[in-house]
PDB file of all heavy atoms in Angstrom:
ATOM      1  N   GLY G   1      34.358  75.067  -4.874  1.00 67.00           N
ATOM      2  CA  GLY G   1      33.106  74.786  -5.486  1.00 67.00           C
ATOM      3  C   GLY G   1      32.288  76.053  -5.707  1.00 67.00           C
ATOM      4  O   GLY G   1      32.741  77.167  -5.482  1.00 67.00           O
ATOM      5  N   MET G   3      29.722  77.153  -4.070  1.00 79.00           N
ATOM      6  CA  MET G   3      29.357  77.887  -2.860  1.00 79.00           C
ATOM      7  C   MET G   3      30.415  78.913  -2.480  1.00 79.00           C
ATOM      8  O   MET G   3      30.085  79.946  -1.913  1.00 79.00           O
ATOM      9  CB  MET G   3      29.103  76.922  -1.703  1.00 79.00           C
ATOM     10  CG  MET G   3      27.798  76.169  -1.869  1.00 79.00           C
ATOM     11  SD  MET G   3      27.449  74.988  -0.565  1.00 79.00           S
ATOM     12  CE  MET G   3      27.622  75.935   0.899  1.00 79.00           C
ATOM     13  N   MET G   6      29.530  82.330  -3.856  1.00 93.00           N
ATOM     14  CA  MET G   6      28.254  82.954  -3.516  1.00 93.00           C
ATOM     15  C   MET G   6      28.478  84.274  -2.784  1.00 93.00           C
ATOM     16  O   MET G   6      29.315  84.357  -1.889  1.00 93.00           O
ATOM     17  CB  MET G   6      27.427  82.012  -2.648  1.00 93.00           C
ATOM     18  CG  MET G   6      26.012  82.482  -2.428  1.00 93.00           C
ATOM     19  SD  MET G   6      25.025  81.298  -1.505  1.00 93.00           S
ATOM     20  CE  MET G   6      25.044  79.899  -2.601  1.00 93.00           C
ATOM     21  N   MET G  25      24.544  74.796   9.256  1.00 89.00           N
ATOM     22  CA  MET G  25      24.636  75.900   8.299  1.00 89.00           C
ATOM     23  C   MET G  25      25.948  76.664   8.462  1.00 89.00           C
ATOM     24  O   MET G  25      26.537  77.106   7.483  1.00 89.00           O
ATOM     25  CB  MET G  25      23.464  76.854   8.504  1.00 89.00           C
ATOM     26  CG  MET G  25      23.472  78.022   7.564  1.00 89.00           C
ATOM     27  SD  MET G  25      22.320  79.291   8.097  1.00 89.00           S
ATOM     28  CE  MET G  25      22.924  79.671   9.724  1.00 89.00           C
ATOM     29  N   ALA G  28      28.738  75.419   6.325  1.00 90.00           N
ATOM     30  CA  ALA G  28      28.638  75.838   4.929  1.00 90.00           C
ATOM     31  C   ALA G  28      29.001  77.312   4.773  1.00 90.00           C
ATOM     32  O   ALA G  28      29.707  77.695   3.845  1.00 90.00           O
ATOM     33  CB  ALA G  28      27.230  75.583   4.402  1.00 90.00           C
ATOM     34  N   GLY G  30      30.998  79.068   6.476  1.00 89.00           N
ATOM     35  CA  GLY G  30      32.437  79.237   6.618  1.00 89.00           C
ATOM     36  C   GLY G  30      33.203  78.980   5.331  1.00 89.00           C
ATOM     37  O   GLY G  30      34.357  79.378   5.193  1.00 89.00           O
ATOM     38  N   ARG G  31      32.539  78.325   4.373  1.00 91.00           N
ATOM     39  CA  ARG G  31      33.163  78.053   3.071  1.00 91.00           C
ATOM     40  C   ARG G  31      32.701  79.048   2.010  1.00 91.00           C
ATOM     41  O   ARG G  31      32.823  78.774   0.811  1.00 91.00           O
ATOM     42  CB  ARG G  31      32.862  76.617   2.644  1.00 91.00           C
ATOM     43  CG  ARG G  31      33.522  75.576   3.536  1.00 91.00           C
ATOM     44  CD  ARG G  31      33.355  74.164   3.009  1.00 91.00           C
ATOM     45  NE  ARG G  31      31.979  73.736   2.849  1.00 91.00           N
ATOM     46  CZ  ARG G  31      31.224  73.189   3.812  1.00 91.00           C
ATOM     47  NH1 ARG G  31      31.728  73.016   5.020  1.00 91.00           N
ATOM     48  NH2 ARG G  31      29.985  72.810   3.563  1.00 91.00           N
ATOM     49  N   PRO G  33      33.681  82.626   1.548  1.00 90.00           N
ATOM     50  CA  PRO G  33      34.440  83.831   1.876  1.00 90.00           C
ATOM     51  C   PRO G  33      34.066  85.063   1.059  1.00 90.00           C
ATOM     52  O   PRO G  33      34.377  86.183   1.457  1.00 90.00           O
ATOM     53  CB  PRO G  33      35.889  83.426   1.605  1.00 90.00           C
ATOM     54  CG  PRO G  33      35.778  82.354   0.563  1.00 90.00           C
ATOM     55  CD  PRO G  33      34.514  81.609   0.904  1.00 90.00           C
ATOM     56  N   GLN G  34      33.378  84.874  -0.058  1.00 93.00           N
ATOM     57  CA  GLN G  34      32.991  86.006  -0.914  1.00 93.00           C
ATOM     58  C   GLN G  34      31.667  86.641  -0.486  1.00 93.00           C
ATOM     59  O   GLN G  34      31.245  87.639  -1.064  1.00 93.00           O
ATOM     60  CB  GLN G  34      32.870  85.545  -2.378  1.00 93.00           C
ATOM     61  CG  GLN G  34      34.113  84.909  -2.935  1.00 93.00           C
ATOM     62  CD  GLN G  34      35.287  85.854  -2.972  1.00 93.00           C
ATOM     63  OE1 GLN G  34      35.147  87.028  -3.260  1.00 93.00           O
ATOM     64  NE2 GLN G  34      36.470  85.351  -2.664  1.00 93.00           N
ATOM     65  N   ALA G  42      14.771  86.041  11.742  1.00 94.00           N
ATOM     66  CA  ALA G  42      13.658  85.147  12.068  1.00 94.00           C
ATOM     67  C   ALA G  42      13.963  83.691  11.711  1.00 94.00           C
ATOM     68  O   ALA G  42      13.156  82.996  11.109  1.00 94.00           O
ATOM     69  CB  ALA G  42      12.381  85.632  11.379  1.00 94.00           C
ATOM     70  N   ASN G  44      15.163  81.500  14.180  1.00 91.00           N
ATOM     71  CA  ASN G  44      15.112  80.718  15.413  1.00 91.00           C
ATOM     72  C   ASN G  44      16.499  80.255  15.882  1.00 91.00           C
ATOM     73  O   ASN G  44      16.675  79.134  16.336  1.00 91.00           O
ATOM     74  CB  ASN G  44      14.179  79.509  15.218  1.00 91.00           C
ATOM     75  CG  ASN G  44      13.770  78.862  16.516  1.00 91.00           C
ATOM     76  OD1 ASN G  44      13.626  79.535  17.532  1.00 91.00           O
ATOM     77  ND2 ASN G  44      13.581  77.560  16.494  1.00 91.00           N
ATOM     78  N   GLU G  48      22.547  79.540  21.389  1.00 93.00           N
ATOM     79  CA  GLU G  48      23.450  78.484  20.923  1.00 93.00           C
ATOM     80  C   GLU G  48      23.715  78.598  19.426  1.00 93.00           C
ATOM     81  O   GLU G  48      24.840  78.431  18.966  1.00 93.00           O
ATOM     82  CB  GLU G  48      22.874  77.107  21.240  1.00 93.00           C
ATOM     83  CG  GLU G  48      22.880  76.781  22.721  1.00 93.00           C
ATOM     84  CD  GLU G  48      22.293  75.403  22.981  1.00 93.00           C
ATOM     85  OE1 GLU G  48      22.503  74.492  22.168  1.00 93.00           O
ATOM     86  OE2 GLU G  48      21.623  75.259  24.012  1.00 93.00           O
ATOM     87  N   GLY G  49      22.680  78.883  18.668  1.00 93.00           N
ATOM     88  CA  GLY G  49      22.837  79.059  17.231  1.00 93.00           C
ATOM     89  C   GLY G  49      23.719  80.253  16.904  1.00 93.00           C
ATOM     90  O   GLY G  49      24.495  80.226  15.957  1.00 93.00           O
ATOM     91  N   ALA G  56      31.461  81.059  11.882  1.00 93.00           N
ATOM     92  CA  ALA G  56      31.443  81.221  10.427  1.00 93.00           C
ATOM     93  C   ALA G  56      31.667  82.676  10.039  1.00 93.00           C
ATOM     94  O   ALA G  56      32.377  82.970   9.082  1.00 93.00           O
ATOM     95  CB  ALA G  56      30.114  80.729   9.863  1.00 93.00           C
ATOM     96  N   GLU G  58      33.438  84.878  11.361  1.00 90.00           N
ATOM     97  CA  GLU G  58      34.849  85.254  11.461  1.00 90.00           C
ATOM     98  C   GLU G  58      35.607  84.980  10.165  1.00 90.00           C
ATOM     99  O   GLU G  58      36.619  85.594   9.898  1.00 90.00           O
ATOM    100  CB  GLU G  58      35.507  84.522  12.622  1.00 90.00           C
ATOM    101  CG  GLU G  58      35.029  85.037  13.969  1.00 90.00           C
ATOM    102  CD  GLU G  58      35.718  84.366  15.127  1.00 90.00           C
ATOM    103  OE1 GLU G  58      36.579  83.490  14.916  1.00 90.00           O
ATOM    104  OE2 GLU G  58      35.384  84.727  16.266  1.00 90.00           O
ATOM    105  N   LEU G  73      18.216  86.041  20.470  1.00 95.00           N
ATOM    106  CA  LEU G  73      19.626  85.851  20.823  1.00 95.00           C
ATOM    107  C   LEU G  73      19.887  86.095  22.295  1.00 95.00           C
ATOM    108  O   LEU G  73      20.695  85.391  22.905  1.00 95.00           O
ATOM    109  CB  LEU G  73      20.508  86.776  19.980  1.00 95.00           C
ATOM    110  CG  LEU G  73      20.409  86.618  18.467  1.00 95.00           C
ATOM    111  CD1 LEU G  73      21.301  87.622  17.769  1.00 95.00           C
ATOM    112  CD2 LEU G  73      20.741  85.206  18.042  1.00 95.00           C
ATOM    113  N   ALA G  79      26.732  88.149  23.272  1.00 96.00           N
ATOM    114  CA  ALA G  79      28.121  87.976  23.712  1.00 96.00           C
ATOM    115  C   ALA G  79      28.868  87.026  22.782  1.00 96.00           C
ATOM    116  O   ALA G  79      30.035  87.261  22.450  1.00 96.00           O
ATOM    117  CB  ALA G  79      28.149  87.441  25.148  1.00 96.00           C
ATOM    118  N   ALA G  80      28.194  85.968  22.332  1.00 94.00           N
ATOM    119  CA  ALA G  80      28.831  85.010  21.418  1.00 94.00           C
ATOM    120  C   ALA G  80      29.189  85.665  20.082  1.00 94.00           C
ATOM    121  O   ALA G  80      30.203  85.341  19.474  1.00 94.00           O
ATOM    122  CB  ALA G  80      27.898  83.818  21.181  1.00 94.00           C
ATOM    123  N   MET G  88      34.673  92.175  11.677  1.00 93.00           N
ATOM    124  CA  MET G  88      34.101  92.302  10.327  1.00 93.00           C
ATOM    125  C   MET G  88      34.230  93.753   9.884  1.00 93.00           C
ATOM    126  O   MET G  88      33.279  94.524   9.930  1.00 93.00           O
ATOM    127  CB  MET G  88      32.654  91.813  10.313  1.00 93.00           C
ATOM    128  CG  MET G  88      32.548  90.332  10.672  1.00 93.00           C
ATOM    129  SD  MET G  88      30.862  89.729  10.672  1.00 93.00           S
ATOM    130  CE  MET G  88      30.618  89.468   8.924  1.00 93.00           C
ATOM    131  N   LYS G  90      34.458  95.337   7.096  1.00 95.00           N
ATOM    132  CA  LYS G  90      33.778  95.900   5.918  1.00 95.00           C
ATOM    133  C   LYS G  90      32.283  96.101   6.151  1.00 95.00           C
ATOM    134  O   LYS G  90      31.581  96.611   5.294  1.00 95.00           O
ATOM    135  CB  LYS G  90      34.001  95.008   4.707  1.00 95.00           C
ATOM    136  CG  LYS G  90      35.455  94.968   4.284  1.00 95.00           C
ATOM    137  CD  LYS G  90      35.603  94.261   2.961  1.00 95.00           C
ATOM    138  CE  LYS G  90      37.068  94.157   2.604  1.00 95.00           C
ATOM    139  NZ  LYS G  90      37.541  95.257   1.820  1.00 95.00           N
ATOM    140  N   SER G  97      17.855  93.834  15.606  1.00 97.00           N
ATOM    141  CA  SER G  97      16.614  94.232  16.279  1.00 97.00           C
ATOM    142  C   SER G  97      15.775  93.026  16.727  1.00 97.00           C
ATOM    143  O   SER G  97      15.889  91.944  16.178  1.00 97.00           O
ATOM    144  CB  SER G  97      15.804  95.136  15.359  1.00 97.00           C
ATOM    145  OG  SER G  97      15.444  94.451  14.179  1.00 97.00           O
ATOM    146  N   ASN G  99      15.672  91.096  19.565  1.00 95.00           N
ATOM    147  CA  ASN G  99      16.402  89.917  20.037  1.00 95.00           C
ATOM    148  C   ASN G  99      16.426  89.789  21.562  1.00 95.00           C
ATOM    149  O   ASN G  99      17.339  89.189  22.094  1.00 95.00           O
ATOM    150  CB  ASN G  99      17.837  89.954  19.504  1.00 95.00           C
ATOM    151  CG  ASN G  99      17.957  89.272  18.174  1.00 95.00           C
ATOM    152  OD1 ASN G  99      17.629  88.101  18.038  1.00 95.00           O
ATOM    153  ND2 ASN G  99      18.372  90.011  17.176  1.00 95.00           N
TER     154      ASN G  99
END
Side-chain angles (χ1 to χ4, degrees):
M3 287 179 52
M6 189 176 298
M25 180 194 58
R31 293 187 301 274
Q34 303 297 322
N44 196 33
E48 290 180 36
E58 289 183 0
L73 302 178
M88 298 180 81
K90 295 189 184 269
S97 62
N99 270 302

